[in-house]
RNA sequence: GGAGGGAUACCCAAGCUGGCCAAAGGGGGCAGACUGUAAAUCUGUUGGCAACGCCUUCGAAGGUUCGAAUCCUUCUCCCUCCA
C-alpha cells in the first residue's frame, strides 16, 4: 500500500509539518493514531470541514487510527485564530447541542463501533481542570514572549485580545498531551490556521513526555484567488441539508471557478489522481464535465447517492432547457391566495427570493425576475391563478436561482 | 488609577468649522450585457415603506438647537502611553 503521507501530498492536502520526513517514515511502518479537533461553534459542519475530514479518511483507509476530537471544552474559550474580533462566547447548552450535532454528522462518515476510529470530547478533561494545577503543569511551558510573536495573535494585538482567548492555545495543546497519554496519539493535524495551536501541543508533548510527536497542517478550502471557499454572501455552505439543501450544495460546487476544479477534485473526492488530472485538463467548456463530476461526487459523499442524483437531475433540467423540475426549492400556497392575485413583490418576499420589497423592486427593475421564463417588466405585475399551468409556476431570480410556486 | 485616541451601513474607510448626509470612496453582494450554470470585463444597484414623499440608521442614553453622524453630559467597549 502506498504511504498515506504521499497520498495526502499528491492530492494537495499538505501545507506544512513539523518533521515531514520523519512523519512519513512513521506512517510507512506502523499504524499511527492521530487526531483533529473540531470546535463546536455551530450546529453543523460546513463545507470547509471536508478537507480535514477527507484528510483523516485518507489516513484511515491506509490503516491509521483517527481520533475525532469534539471541542466541548475548547469551544468554551473560543479560538482567536483567524478572527479579527472577539468571538462571541457560547453558552454551555449551545456547545453541548453543537457537539451532539457534530457527533451525528461524523457518524455518517465513519464507523466508530469497532474501535478503528475514535470519537472523543475534550470537555471530558478540560472542564474539571484545576486552575492552579493546570498553570503549574502546563502554563509554565508556555513563553508569553514567544506567544506574542505568533501570527495568530499579531492582528489581535491591535484589535484587542482577552486573556480568555489568549489562553486558548494552552487548552488545545493540553488536548494533544491528553490524547497522547490516553491513546498514544502521535500526530495532530488541522487547518493551516491551526499551525500555532498545533505547534503548541507538539512542543508540550515533547517537553513533558520527551516523546516524538508530529504536527501537520492541511490546506484550507480556498479558491485559486486565495479567498475562502464554502461561504457565500448568503451564508456558509453547511453539510446539514436542513441548512443547505442538497441542491444548493451541488450547485455551489457545480459553479466553482475553472481554476479550482482540479484542486477540489483532488481534495474533496476519492477519485484516482489520473482521473482528477484528466478531468482538470479538459479544454474550454468541456471543463463543465469536470464540474459535474465534482458536484456529484461530493454531494453523494455528503448527502448520499439518491440526493446527489436528484440534485444533478434538477440542475440539468433547469439549465439544460425546459426549466421544470420537481426537486427545486418550492413554496406551496392555498389556491385562494391567488384568487384576487398577488403582486410580484409580495411573491418574491413570500418565497424568500427577496428579503424585502425594496430588494424585490430592484430585482424587477433590473430585469432579474422571470415567471416561467417570461421576464417580469412591470413593478406592479399581479400574479393570478391564470399564470399557473398545472398549478405550478416557476420564478427565476437572475440566471441561476429557481423557485417553484405551487397552489393547491 | 492617570493622560490621550477611537467606535460610521455586510467589511474597510471618509465625513465630525451643525443644515446641501440614507451618509464619499473601495471591497464584497445582487442584477443586466458578454459567456460555458466559468473567469475577466463593462453597466446598474446595494436601510425600510403605501416611494419625486415619509420612517429608522453613524457605540448606548440623555441634552443644546428651528435643525445633530457632526456640539455638550453621562455610560459601555477598544487602542496607545504612564503607574
Amino acid at each position: 500500500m502506498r504511504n498515506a503521507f504521499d497520498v495526502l501530498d499528491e492530492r494537495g492536502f499538505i501545507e506544512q509539518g513539523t518533521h515531514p520526513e520523519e512523519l512519513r517514515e512513521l506512517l510507512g511502518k506502523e499504524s499511527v493514531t492521530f487526531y483533529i479537533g473540531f470546535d463546536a461553534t455551530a450546529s453543523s459542519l460546513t463545507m470547509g470541514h471536508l478537507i480535514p475530514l477527507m484528510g483523516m479518511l485518507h489516513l484511515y483507509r491506509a490503516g491509521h487510527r483517527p481520533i475525532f476530537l469534539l471541542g466541548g471544552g475548547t469551544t468554551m474559550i473560543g479560538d482567536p485564530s483567524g478572527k479579527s474580533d472577539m468571538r462571541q462566547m457560547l453558552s454551555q447548552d449551545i456547545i453541548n447541542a453543537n457537539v451532539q450535532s457534530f457527533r451525528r454528522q461524523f457518524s455518517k462518515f465513519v464507523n466508530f463501533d469497532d474501535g478503528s476510529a475514535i470519537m472523543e470530547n475534550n470537555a471530558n478533561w478540560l472542564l474539571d481542570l484545576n486552575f492552579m494545577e493546570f498553570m503549574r503543569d502546563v502554563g509554565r511551558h508556555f513563553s508569553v514572549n514567544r506567544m506574542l510573536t505568533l501570527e495568530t495573535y499579531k492582528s489581535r494585538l491591535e484589535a484587542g485580545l482577552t486573556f480568555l482567548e489568549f489562553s486558548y492555545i494552552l487548552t488545545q495543546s493540553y488536548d494533544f498531551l491528553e490524547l497522547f497519554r490516553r491513546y498514544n496519539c502521535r500526530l495532530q493535524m488541522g487547518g493551516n490556521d491551526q499551525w500555532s495551536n498545533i505547534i503548541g501541543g507538539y512542543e508540550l508533548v515533547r517537553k513533558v513526555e520527551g516523546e516524538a510527536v508530529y504536527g501537520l497542517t492541511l490546506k484550507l478550502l480556498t479558491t485559486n484567488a486565495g479567498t475562502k471557499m464554502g461561504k457565500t454572501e448568503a451564508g456558509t455552505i453547511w453539510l446539514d441539508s436542513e441548512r443547505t439543501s442538497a441542491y444548493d450544495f451541488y450547485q455551489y460546487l457545480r459553479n466553482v471557478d475553472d481554476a479550482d476544479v482540479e484542486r477540489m477534485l483532488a481534495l474533496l473526492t476519492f477519485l484516482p489522481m489520473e482521473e482528477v488530472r484528466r478531468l482538470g485538463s479538459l479544454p474550454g467548456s468541456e471543463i463543465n464535465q469536470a464540474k459535474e463530476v465534482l458536484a456529484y461526487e461530493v454531494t453523494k459523499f455528503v448527502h448520499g447517492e439518491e440526493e446527489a442524483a436528484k440534485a444533478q437531475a434538477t440542475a440539468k433540467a433547469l439549465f439544460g432547457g425546459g426549466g421544470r423540475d420537481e426537486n427545486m426549492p418550492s413554496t406551496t400556497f392555498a389556491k385562494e391566495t391567488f384568487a384576487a392575485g398577488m403582486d410580484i413583490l409580495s411573491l418574491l418576499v413570500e418565497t424568500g427570493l427577496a428579503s424585502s420589497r425594496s430588494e424585490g423592486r430592484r430585482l424587477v427593475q433590473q430585469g432579474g425576475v422571470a415567471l416561467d421564463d417570461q421576464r417580469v417588466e412591470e413593478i406592479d405585475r399581479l400574479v393570478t391563478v391564470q399564470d399557473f399551468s398545472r398549478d405550478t409556476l416557476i420564478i427565476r431570480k437572475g440566471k441561476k436561482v429557481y423557485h417553484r410556486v405551487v397552489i393547491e
Side-chain angles (χ1 to χ4, degrees):
Chain A
M1 177 179 278
R2 287 192 66 197
N3 187 310
F5 188 92
D6 294 336
V7 173
L8 290 184
D9 194 27
E10 181 182 29
R11 302 192 78 99
F13 278 93
I14 298 176
E15 187 78 44
Q16 55 184 331
T18 50
H19 295 278
E21 281 308 313
E22 261 182 53
L23 174 61
R24 180 177 179 281
E25 200 180 310
L26 183 69
L27 289 169
K29 71 178 187 209
E30 61 185 70
S31 173
V32 175
T33 299
F34 65 98
Y35 94 96
I36 294 185
F38 297 87
D39 271 4
T41 51
S43 68
S44 167
L45 294 170
T46 69
M47 188 176 270
H49 285 112
L50 286 177
I51 291 196
L53 177 59
M54 293 298 287
M56 291 180 93
L57 291 178
H58 282 295
L59 290 186
Y60 183 43
R61 289 182 169 201
H64 300 104
R65 183 171 67 153
I67 300 175
F68 288 77
L69 182 67
L70 303 170
T74 36
T75 311
M76 298 280 285
I77 293 180
D79 186 6
S81 302
K83 286 273 163 183
S84 51
D85 301 306
M86 167 113 186
R87 265 185 193 275
Q88 211 195 337
M89 282 175 71
L90 299 172
S91 75
Q92 195 152 2
D93 286 347
I94 291 174
I95 293 171
N96 289 150
N98 292 347
V99 163
Q100 290 312 317
S101 299
F102 277 26
R103 197 182 284 280
R104 275 194 298 278
Q105 290 184 321
F106 282 131
S107 298
K108 282 169 53 184
F109 300 112
V110 183
N111 176 17
F112 291 98
D113 296 335
D114 61 3
S116 61
I118 296 168
M119 184 131 55
E120 256 291 7
N121 183 348
N122 59 23
N124 292 152
W125 53 81
L126 291 178
L127 258 37
D128 295 325
L129 279 178
N130 176 296
F131 185 77
M132 288 304 164
E133 283 175 27
F134 182 72
M135 281 299 150
R136 289 172 67 92
D137 294 343
V138 177
R140 71 186 164 113
H141 294 291
F142 286 79
S143 149
V144 170
N145 318 244
R146 175 90 192 285
M147 285 167 74
L148 289 174
T149 66
L150 297 178
E151 207 48 52
T152 307
Y153 300 118
K154 274 189 185 158
S155 61
R156 294 296 298 276
L157 255 25
E158 295 289 313
L161 178 66
T162 59
F163 189 76
L164 175 75
E165 295 175 281
F166 189 54
S167 66
Y168 181 87
I169 188 171
L170 272 73
T171 56
Q172 182 166 332
S173 298
Y174 183 69
D175 283 346
F176 199 174
L177 182 60
E178 195 66 27
L179 290 173
F180 173 80
R181 287 172 171 166
R182 294 189 182 207
Y183 300 103
N184 190 34
C185 179
R186 297 266 168 186
L187 166 66
Q188 178 183 185
M189 299 199 299
N192 197 236
D193 55 344
Q194 292 299 306
W195 179 246
S196 300
N197 291 329
I198 288 173
I199 289 293
Y202 152 88
E203 288 185 346
L204 182 65
V205 179
R206 289 199 170 218
K207 276 181 196 165
V208 173
E209 299 290 334
E211 292 269 353
V213 293
Y214 305 89
L216 189 70
T217 61
L218 307 180
K219 288 272 198 290
L220 296 174
L221 189 64
T222 56
T223 64
N224 197 42
T227 56
K228 261 190 193 158
M229 257 182 95
K231 295 227 185 222
T232 64
E233 201 53 26
T236 306
I237 306 292
W238 305 95
L239 300 194
D240 180 353
S241 59
E242 293 290 311
R243 301 186 75 168
T244 301
S245 71
Y247 172 75
D248 288 336
F249 186 87
Y250 178 95
Q251 276 298 301
Y252 182 82
L253 290 163
R254 175 63 185 77
N255 283 310
V256 298
D257 291 5
D258 289 7
D260 294 323
V261 181
E262 185 168 326
R263 230 174 63 255
M264 290 305 119
L265 281 167
L267 290 169
L268 303 181
T269 74
F270 289 107
L271 293 177
M273 281 308 287
E274 306 85 72
E275 179 67 358
V276 168
R277 280 188 277 268
R278 184 187 73 79
L279 288 167
S281 55
L282 289 172
S285 63
E286 283 180 44
I287 193 85
N288 282 319
Q289 290 170 34
K291 294 186 187 180
E292 278 177 19
V293 172
L294 173 68
Y296 181 79
E297 287 296 323
V298 183
T299 307
K300 183 174 93 177
F301 175 68
V302 175
H303 295 291
E305 186 141 30
E306 194 182 325
E307 288 300 315
K310 270 204 264 179
Q312 184 159 63
T314 301
K316 286 190 168 169
L318 295 178
F319 293 100
R324 293 211 158 245
D325 189 274
E326 298 302 305
N327 298 315
M328 75 178 78
S330 70
T331 307
T332 304
F333 294 92
K335 202 161 196 163
E336 308 81 79
T337 315
F338 290 91
M342 185 191 285
D343 65 290
I344 186 68
L345 296 183
S346 299
L347 188 57
L348 284 168
V349 173
E350 290 287 329
T351 53
L353 291 172
S355 60
S356 68
R357 297 175 65 81
S358 294
E359 184 183 318
R361 187 180 305 269
R362 282 193 290 275
L363 280 170
V364 173
Q365 280 167 347
Q366 298 191 113
V369 178
L371 295 173
D372 280 340
D373 280 328
Q374 290 288 310
R375 181 178 286 189
V376 175
E377 307 286 355
E378 324 82 47
I379 211 72
D380 48 2
R381 172 74 150 82
L382 208 57
V383 179
T384 64
V385 179
Q386 280 75 48
D387 290 303
F388 290 77
S389 61
R390 277 180 288 152
D391 290 340
T392 65
L393 176 65
I394 308 293
I395 310 185
R396 178 165 52 84
K397 174 193 148 194
K399 295 189 190 72
K400 299 178 193 170
V401 184
Y402 290 86
H403 197 99
R404 191 163 55 112
V405 182
V406 181
I407 50 175
E408 59 179 26

